[in-house]
Amino acid sequence: MILKVVKYPEPVLTQPGEKVTEFNDELRQFVADMFETMYSSQGIGLAAQQVGVAKRVTVIDLSQGKDPAQKLALINPEIVTSSGRQYEEEGCLSFPDIREKIVRAAKVHIRAQNEKGEWFEMDGEELLARAFQHEFDHLDGILFTQRMSPLKRSMCLRKIRKLQAEGNW
Ligand code: NI
């Protein structure tokens, strides 16, 4: 089922997610719905807050559904170590048409639980490292605008207010 993706400034987007403790069919259905929603929006990552649920669940697929090996469901994820620096353009399904360069770590090592509750660890570089950092931020209620310089953030927020005033947001 395709879920509704909420846009900034929906309050749930800044709400830290609750830890998932039950790995049941309901959770697995929610994860399946999140993948379906992400693919239908041509995204490469989606956090539970973006479909109105403040829980620590996120899905990532850099292949956008083309390569099953890249399909990642990450429950209660955390960054274990990070290193380096990258400065690339980033977008967010909750900020349609907003793209801005954001500083992120170049490499991260993460741990998370899968849909069955099993812990796993993995490394991410470049775009995958960026996706991990962007999505895990969502789970803490942190939006990519908060990672921008104050000047860029105010420019983005002004653009959003303009779009809202025109009825295009
Ligand atoms: Ni996002």
Side-chain angles (χ1 to χ4, degrees), residues 63-81:
S63 81
Q64 294 188 309
K66 292 180 196 84
D67 176 10
Q70 294 193 48
K71 205 174 160 184
L72 294 171
L74 304 123
I75 326 280
N76 302 323
E78 50 198 65
I79 291 170
V80 183
T81 56

Side-chain angles (χ1 to χ4, degrees), residues 22-32 115:
E22 289 197 50
F23 296 82
N24 51 21
D25 287 345
E26 198 187 324
L27 173 72
R28 285 182 279 276
Q29 185 58 53
F30 179 60
V31 167
E115 295 153 271

Side-chain angles (χ1 to χ4, degrees), residues 14-37:
T14 49
Q15 212 176 308
E18 260 177 57
K19 210 170 173 215
V20 173
T21 52
E22 289 197 50
F23 296 82
N24 51 21
D25 287 345
E26 198 187 324
L27 173 72
R28 285 182 279 276
Q29 185 58 53
F30 179 60
V31 167
D33 290 344
M34 282 184 64
F35 275 114
E36 199 180 336
T37 304

Side-chain angles (χ1 to χ4, degrees), residues 10-114:
E10 196 70 43
V12 69
L13 288 172
T14 49
Q15 212 176 308
E18 260 177 57
K19 210 170 173 215
V20 173
T21 52
E22 289 197 50
F23 296 82
N24 51 21
D25 287 345
E26 198 187 324
L27 173 72
R28 285 182 279 276
Q29 185 58 53
F30 179 60
V31 167
D33 290 344
M34 282 184 64
F35 275 114
E36 199 180 336
T37 304
M38 178 175 73
Y39 294 142
S40 77
S41 317
Q42 277 91 46
I44 58 166
L46 184 70
Q49 274 86 344
Q50 295 181 276
V51 292
V53 178
K55 281 196 180 161
R56 307 190 77 79
V57 179
T58 180
V59 295
I60 291 174
D61 184 352
L62 301 189
S63 81
Q64 294 188 309
K66 292 180 196 84
D67 176 10
Q70 294 193 48
K71 205 174 160 184
L72 294 171
L74 304 123
I75 326 280
N76 302 323
E78 50 198 65
I79 291 170
V80 183
T81 56
S82 59
S83 62
R85 181 185 184 273
Q86 55 169 321
Y87 184 54
E88 298 295 335
E89 225 176 50
E90 201 167 303
C92 179
L93 292 176
S94 296
F95 290 82
D97 301 325
I98 303 281
R99 295 195 65 83
E100 198 51 71
K101 284 179 102 174
I102 311 272
V103 176
R104 299 282 188 187
K107 289 183 186 184
V108 292
H109 182 75
I110 65 113
R111 72 193 284 261
Q113 282 167 286
N114 65 17

